[in-house]
Amino acid sequence: MLPAGDGAEAPAAPRCSESGDDRKAMEKSEINVTALVGCDQVSDGGDDAGLASYVSTFIDKEVGHDLKSLKKLDKLIEQMTENKMHLEEQVLTISSEIPKRIQSALKNAEESKQFLNQFVEQENHLLTSINSHLLSAQPWMDDLGAMISQIEEIGRHLSYLKWISQIEELSDNIQQYLLTNNVPEAASTLVAMTELDIKLQKSSCVHLLEFMRATVKFWHKILKDKLTSDFEEILAQLHWPFITPSQSQTTAVSWPASSPEVYSHLETLFCQLLKLQTSDELLAEPKHLPEKYCLPASPSVILPIQIMLTPLQKRFRYHFRGNRQTNVLSKPEWYLAQILMWIGNHTPFLDEKIQPILDKASSAVNARLEFSRGLLMLVLEKLSNDIPCLLYDDSLFCHLVDEVLLFERELHSVHGYPDTFANCMHILSEETCFQRWLTVERKFALQKMDSMLSSDAAWVSQYKDITDVDEMKVPDCAETFMTLLLVITDRYKSLPTASRKLQFLELQKDLVDDFRIRLTQVMKEETRASLGFRYCAILNAVNYISTVLADWADNVFFLQLQQAALEVFAENNTLSKLELGQLASMESSVFDDMINLLERLKHDMLTRQVDHVFREVKDAAKLYKKERWLSLPSQSEQAAPSLSSSACPLLLTLRDRLLQLEQQLCFSLFKNFWQMLVEKLDVYIYQEVILANHFNEGGAAQLQFDMTRNLFPLFSHYCKRPENYFKHVKEACIVLNLSIGSALLLKDVLQSASGHPPATAALNELGIYKLAQQDVDILLNLRTNWPNTGK
C-alpha cells in the first residue's frame, strides 16, 4: 500500500482543458479525492461515517446548493476514475519493479564481495613478496647507507676545504694588493671576506668561524692601522682638529689656497676607510651605556668620523676626568659649552668638505650629525658618571639640570640635532635621576610660590600703568606663577617618553591646586572686605589662571599628552567609559579638573561681591520703596520731569560701586559682576517696589522716568541696550503707563483669551515678552487711574 502523501503527488498535471479557475478547482478536487482514496487504503476499513462525512463535504464544496452545478458531476466522476486507474498502474509498476531492484542489488553485493576477497589475497601475496625482498636487500641497503654517509662526510670536508681555500685565496689577494700598495683593492677584498664571515654566522663549524674571524681581524687591523695613519697625516696638514673659533676661521680662509692633492688624498682615504666600516662593526665591541638609560638603538659612528673624533675625545677625557682643575662637579657648563663650541667650529668643514665625499659614495650619513653624535656620547658618559655624585645636593643637581636643558635647546635649535638620536634627556629620564628631578622641581616651585605670595608687590599688576597691556589686571603673583608653570613645561617638553611627560604634567596640576588653596586662604582673610583691592586682585588672579589653562588645553603639546593619558587610563581602567569618551572626543582636557575648581572659586567670590553690593543697594532703596506712588502729580502738572529724591541714594551707591569695581576687576569679571547684579536688581525692583505699591498716572510716569532716564543709563557704558537686562522692570513700566483705552482693551483681551495665542500676540505687540499673562493682569490691577464705569 502507498502512503497518502504519495498518492496525493501522483497527478502531476491536469487532464482536462477547462479555464484557469476551473483547472485549479479540478486540481484541488483531484488531490482531495486522491487523499480520500489513500486514506481509505491506509485505514483498511476505517470508520464509514467519517468517510461519508468527508465525501458529503467534498460534494458540497464542489457542487454547492446550485442545482445548475450538477452538470459538473460527470466530469468529476470521470476525472476521479482516471486518477484511480493511474494510481493503480503506479502501484502495480512499483510492486513489480521493487523485487527486481532488490535482486539486482544483492547480485552486485555478491560480486563486490568476491572482488574484495581477490584483492585481499593479492595484497597478502604482495606483502609476503615485499617482506622477502626487503629481507634479502637489507645487507645491500646497509652497505649503501654507509657509502652515502661517507660521501656526505667527504662532501662536507670538501665544502669545508673550499671555504678554507676561498678564505686563503682572499687573504692572499689582500696580501698581494698590499705588496703592490693597491690599498683600494685590498679594502674591497676585505669587504668580500667580511660578507663571507656574515654568511657563515649560522654555521656550526666553530673552528671555521674562528679561522674566518681571525683572518678578517688580522687584515682589518693592518688596513685600518695603515689607512688611519695616512688619514691622520692628511688631517694634520689641514690643522685638524679646530680647537678654537679663530683656528676654524683661519683654516676656512686657507681652504681654497690648499693643494688640491691634499683634498684628493683626503677623499681617497675617507672612501677607503668607509669600506672598512662593515668589518669594523663586525669586530669592534660597541660601548653602550647601561640599559637603565633606555637609549634608542643606533649604529656605531662611521670609521673615518671615529678617527676624526679621536683627538677631541682624548682632549675631552684629559680635561674632564680625573683630578684636573677643569673637572668640577659644580661647573657642568664647562664641558657642555666645550662640546657645543667644537660642533660649531667643525660644522663648516664637515658640510663643505666631508659631506660631498659621503654624497659621492652614495652614503646616507650626514657628516655633521654623525660628528655631533660621536661628541654627544662623551657628554652622556660624563653625565652618567657625575649624576650619582650630585643626586643629594639640591643646588648642584638643579644647576646641572638647568645647564643640560640649555645645552639640549641649543643643540637641537642651532645645530639641528634630531630628537630621535640619543641625547641628554635619556640620561635625565633614568628612574632614580628622574624622581630626584621631580622632587627638586617641586621643592623649588613651592619655595618660589612662598616668596611670590609674601612679596609686597604680590597683588599689584606689573603693567598697571599700561592700559593696553593690563586688560586682565593680573597681579604679579599670578603672572609669576604661570610663568613658573610655563618654564616647567619648556623644561620637560623634550623628554623622550610620554610617561615621563605625564608625570611632570601631574606635578603642574598639583602646583596649580596648591596655589588655588593658597589663594583661597588669603581670600578668606579678606572676606569682610570683599570689595577691597586685595580681594579683587585675588579674583583677577583666579580668572587669569583659569583662562591660561583653558588656552593651554588647546595647545598641540597638551593635546598630545591628552592622547597619551587616554592610552594610559584605558590600560589601567582608572576612568569610566564616559570620561574616556570625553577625553577621546576632546570634549574635556587634561586641565579640566583644575579649571572647574578655579571657576567654582571665581563664581563664589563674584557672588559674594554681588551680594555685598546688593545689600548696600537695598539699604539705599528703603526710602524709594516707601515713595507715595499713589498720590504723585501727573507730568502735565510739572514743569519738567525730575528724578525722585528718594532714588538718589540708590543710584549714587550703585554708581560708586560700579566705578570702583570697573577699575579693580578685569573686563570679563566686571561684565559678569554687573550682569549678575542687574539680574538681582531687576527682580528686587519689580517685586519690592512695583508689586508692593499702587500707581496713579503720575506715579507710573515717575517710575518710568526714574528707570529709563536714570537707572538704565548707569549701565549704558557697559552695553548698548541696558534696558534689555531689566526685562521685568521695563515691561512693568510699559503696562503701568499704557493709556486708559489701551489698558482697558488689554484687560478685555486677557480676560477673554486667557492662555490663548491672541493674548500672547497682544502682549508681544506692546513689547512684553518676559512677563506672563497673570503678571500683566496683576500689574493692571495696580493702576488706580481707571474710569468710573458704575460697576
Side-chain angles (χ1 to χ4, degrees), residues 157 206 214 231-232 257 270 272 299 311 340 358 374 449 469 517 547 559 679 778:
H157 292 169
V206 180
F231 192 59
E232 287 175 345
F270 194 95
Q272 291 171 2
L340 291 173
L358 289 168
M449 288 164 58
V469 181
I517 293 172
T547 303
L559 290 176
E679 184 178 355
I778 293 172

Side-chain angles (χ1 to χ4, degrees), residues 118-137:
Q118 293 176 2
F119 287 143
V120 170
E121 291 177 1
Q122 292 177 4
E123 189 264 341
N124 291 333
H125 179 69
L126 287 174
L127 182 61
T128 304
S129 300
I130 290 170
N131 289 334
S132 175
H133 178 73
L134 290 175
L135 188 61
S136 60

Side-chain angles (χ1 to χ4, degrees), residues 587-605:
E587 293 181 7
S588 61
S589 70
V590 291
F591 295 111
D592 267 10
D593 294 340
M594 297 297 101
I595 293 174
N596 291 337
L597 291 173
L598 290 167
E599 288 294 319
R600 186 183 306 168
L601 176 60
K602 181 177 76 172
H603 182 266
D604 292 344
M605 295 181 69

Side-chain angles (χ1 to χ4, degrees), residues 7 11 22 143 161 302 395 402 414 428 484 508 544 553 654 664:
D22 293 338
D143 295 340
L161 292 174
I302 59 174
S395 60
D402 290 340
V414 177
L428 295 182
L484 173 66
Q508 287 180 303
Y544 175 70
L654 196 58
Q664 294 181 350

Side-chain angles (χ1 to χ4, degrees), residues 179-225:
L179 290 174
T180 58
N181 203 27
N182 192 350
V183 178
E185 288 298 329
S188 299
T189 307
L190 180 60
V191 173
M193 186 183 292
T194 306
E195 291 174 351
L196 288 181
D197 191 331
I198 295 172
K199 288 181 181 179
L200 283 173
Q201 290 300 313
K202 295 182 179 179
S203 173
S204 59
C205 301
V206 180
H207 299 293
L208 178 62
L209 290 174
E210 291 178 354
F211 175 67
M212 169 69 84
R213 184 60 55 85
T215 306
V216 172
K217 187 175 183 179
F218 174 78
W219 289 117
H220 175 78
K221 185 178 185 306
I222 293 175
L223 284 171
K224 181 179 179 181
D225 291 346

Side-chain angles (χ1 to χ4, degrees), residues 292-348:
K292 64 180 181 179
Y293 295 113
C294 300
L295 297 179
S298 59
S300 59
V301 178
I302 59 174
L303 185 56
I305 298 293
Q306 288 183 31
I307 298 170
M308 298 173 74
L309 285 168
T310 301
L312 295 174
Q313 292 170 342
K314 290 180 180 179
R315 187 175 292 272
F316 185 89
R317 293 188 177 103
Y318 176 83
H319 286 292
F320 303 112
R321 286 191 181 181
N323 297 324
R324 304 293 174 187
Q325 292 182 351
T326 49
N327 184 28
V328 183
L329 287 176
S330 61
K331 297 294 182 181
E333 61 269 25
W334 286 356
Y335 65 82
L336 295 174
Q338 186 67 72
I339 293 295
L340 291 173
M341 186 178 71
W342 285 347
I343 293 175
N345 292 346
H346 296 89
T347 292

Side-chain angles (χ1 to χ4, degrees), residues 572-584:
N572 300 335
N573 293 325
T574 54
L575 291 180
S576 65
K577 291 184 177 180
L578 175 61
E579 292 172 322
L580 287 175
Q582 290 174 340
L583 275 175

Side-chain angles (χ1 to χ4, degrees), residues 304-548:
I305 298 293
Q306 288 183 31
I307 298 170
M308 298 173 74
L309 285 168
T310 301
L312 295 174
Q313 292 170 342
K314 290 180 180 179
R315 187 175 292 272
F316 185 89
R317 293 188 177 103
Y318 176 83
H319 286 292
F320 303 112
R321 286 191 181 181
N323 297 324
R324 304 293 174 187
Q325 292 182 351
T326 49
N327 184 28
V328 183
L329 287 176
S330 61
K331 297 294 182 181
E333 61 269 25
W334 286 356
Y335 65 82
L336 295 174
Q338 186 67 72
I339 293 295
L340 291 173
M341 186 178 71
W342 285 347
I343 293 175
N345 292 346
H346 296 89
T347 292
F349 179 80
L350 293 168
D351 287 344
E352 297 175 23
K353 297 299 178 182
I354 302 301
Q355 190 60 49
I357 299 174
L358 289 168
D359 296 340
K360 190 174 180 180
S362 301
S363 174
V365 175
N366 184 299
R368 176 166 45 85
L369 294 181
E370 196 76 353
F371 183 79
S372 303
R373 190 160 66 92
L375 286 179
L376 197 63
M377 287 306 298
L378 296 171
V379 177
L380 300 185
E381 293 173 3
K382 176 69 174 169
L383 284 175
S384 64
N385 291 328
D386 287 358
I387 284 178
C389 304
L390 301 173
L391 280 178
Y392 301 103
D393 190 321
D394 290 348
S395 60
L396 289 181
F397 181 78
C398 190
H399 177 63
L400 173 68
V401 172
D402 290 340
E403 293 299 329
V404 167
L405 293 174
L406 290 173
F407 170 80
E408 281 287 320
R409 186 175 296 119
E410 184 171 351
L411 184 67
H412 292 291
S413 61
V414 177
H415 301 291
Y417 192 80
D419 293 332
T420 54
F421 286 4
N423 56 62
C424 300
M425 301 308 293
H426 291 93
I427 304 298
L428 295 182
S429 296
E430 189 270 326
E431 182 64 27
T432 304
C433 178
F434 183 77
Q435 293 303 326
R436 187 61 184 164
W437 184 12
L438 276 177
T439 303
V440 172
E441 202 78 48
R442 185 188 301 273
K443 175 183 175 181
F444 282 100
L446 293 175
Q447 290 178 357
K448 184 69 174 175
M449 288 164 58
D450 290 336
S451 63
M452 70 176 70
L453 287 173
S454 59
S455 170
D456 294 336
W459 306 108
V460 180
S461 173
Q462 297 179 5
Y463 314 104
K464 60 180 180 178
D465 299 326
I466 309 174
T467 307
D468 295 339
V469 181
D470 197 36
E471 291 183 358
M472 297 288 289
K473 292 183 172 60
V474 186
D476 183 64
C477 64
E479 187 167 7
T480 306
F481 175 71
M482 294 312 293
T483 303
L484 173 66
L485 291 185
L486 186 61
V487 170
I488 292 176
T489 302
D490 291 336
R491 289 161 70 85
Y492 78 82
K493 184 178 290 186
S494 56
L495 282 169
T497 60
S499 60
R500 297 301 191 201
K501 295 176 184 178
L502 288 173
Q503 287 179 270
F504 256 104
L505 178 64
E506 288 301 316
L507 169 63
Q508 287 180 303
K509 293 166 70 174
D510 290 343
L511 292 176
V512 172
D513 195 48
D514 188 274
F515 194 71
R516 177 188 62 83
I517 293 172
R518 294 174 187 234
L519 290 178
T520 304
Q521 292 171 346
V522 179
M523 179 269 294
K524 289 180 179 178
E525 297 174 1
E526 302 293 327
T527 302
R528 293 184 178 180
S530 58
L531 302 183
F533 168 76
R534 179 174 290 192
Y535 190 92
C536 292
I538 296 170
L539 185 52
N540 287 329
V542 172
N543 178 69
Y544 175 70
I545 296 171
S546 176
T547 303
V548 174

